[in-house]
Amino acid sequence: MADAFTTKSTGKLDLRPGLEPLRQFSKRTFNPLTLRLAGKRFFPFGVLHHVGRKSGKQYKTPVGAAPVADGFVIALTYGSDTDWSRNLRAAGSATLVYQGSAYRVSEPVIVGEDGRGAFPLYQRVFLNLMRVDKYMEVKAEPAA
């Protein structure tokens, strides 16, 4: 039986084809560098603090996030089945540090290209160039 996070139509993981080398580069090189600034004021990336769904280990992942009325929209640059996305959906909640403030995020829902509209123009241009077509909406409240 397919795992709960695979796509229903194909039974395969939803990772954007052809981007695996870039995803691995980002994971090992870009992400550690980005984490130095992510979550800080005036930087366009947030830091998602999440727990491994199998290991229980704590992780920090830089994510492109945009605030909306009751939470955030997070770009699924490499598809909806990246480790952080699967971990957040399995746990149901995580902590997002964005613009210097921490938020408890919950109720993750995968949405289509409509999510792109939450981002400022300069980020939408980049997301269009990267052909990002899936986003995750999460509810948010200030972390205690």
Side-chain angles (χ1 to χ4, degrees):
M1 183 165 147
D3 133 347
F5 300 111
T6 58
T7 57
K8 290 181 176 39
S9 60
T10 64
K12 295 180 181 177
L13 290 178
D14 177 34
L15 292 172
R16 298 208 25 230
L19 291 182
E20 186 59 19
L22 180 59
R23 189 178 77 81
Q24 289 300 323
F25 172 79
S26 291
K27 188 174 183 176
R28 302 210 187 330
T29 306
F30 182 71
N31 287 3
L33 294 173
T34 304
L35 281 171
R36 293 180 181 184
L37 295 173
K40 295 196 173 37
R41 201 170 167 113
F42 306 115
F43 196 73
F45 289 91
V47 179
L48 186 70
H49 296 257
H50 54 101
V51 177
R53 63 194 175 283
K54 295 177 184 175
S55 68
K57 184 177 172 182
Q58 298 280 332
Y59 293 98
K60 294 188 293 189
T61 304
V63 294
V68 293
D70 58 349
F72 290 90
V73 173
I74 302 172
L76 295 171
T77 309
Y78 301 108
S80 61
D81 286 332
T82 55
D83 288 333
W84 71 262
S85 173
R86 295 174 76 191
N87 290 343
L88 175 53
R89 287 182 285 148
S93 66
T95 300
L96 176 67
V97 178
Y98 181 78
Q99 298 287 313
S101 297
Y103 300 89
R104 181 182 175 277
V105 295
S106 61
E107 301 179 43
V109 176
I110 306 294
V111 297
E113 292 182 6
D114 291 344
R116 187 180 301 128
F119 289 83
L121 178 61
Y122 76 94
Q123 287 178 316
R124 286 196 312 262
V125 169
F126 175 76
L127 293 166
N128 276 327
L129 289 172
M130 290 287 297
R131 297 187 177 130
V132 177
D133 61 356
K134 290 190 178 105
Y135 297 82
M136 180 182 287
E137 288 184 2
V138 293
K139 303 287 185 203
E141 57 189 40

